[in-house]
Amino acid sequence: MAKRVSKGFGDKNAKALKDSKKHCAVCGEPIELVKRIMTVTDNEKNSVRFQEKMVGVCKCNRSEIYK
Ligand SMILES: [Zn+2]
């Protein structure tokens, strides 16, 4: 005999948007943190390293970040 299985939907709130977002003092937009990978050239070792950097993006510098 088949059992009846009642599935309970997990009411997970995926929208965990934090209200503690920083706002830019200049344009007033919420600052988005974007991970950028920069290349760092090491002249001594003659090698290239990758460095991750979190950059805050708002209206002021968006055109510079997203080219
Ligand atoms: Zn701004």
Side-chain angles (χ1 to χ4, degrees), residues 24 26-28 58-60:
C24 177
V26 181
C27 67
C58 69
K59 216 176 187 176
C60 305

Side-chain angles (χ1 to χ4, degrees), residues 16-64:
L17 285 172
K18 285 174 187 171
D19 242 30
S20 55
K21 254 190 178 180
K22 274 188 189 172
H23 282 71
C24 177
V26 181
C27 67
E29 266 200 13
I31 293 172
E32 239 181 291
L33 277 177
V34 177
K35 193 191 270 180
R36 296 198 84 196
I37 293 164
M38 328 254 292
T39 49
V40 182
T41 314
D42 197 326
N43 287 324
E44 280 176 35
K45 291 168 189 168
N46 200 22
S47 63
V48 179
R49 286 182 297 121
F50 294 98
Q51 197 174 43
E52 283 185 0
K53 203 182 175 189
M54 294 303 285
V55 185
V57 182
C58 69
K59 216 176 187 176
C60 305
N61 62 353
R62 184 170 289 143
S63 54
E64 292 170 35

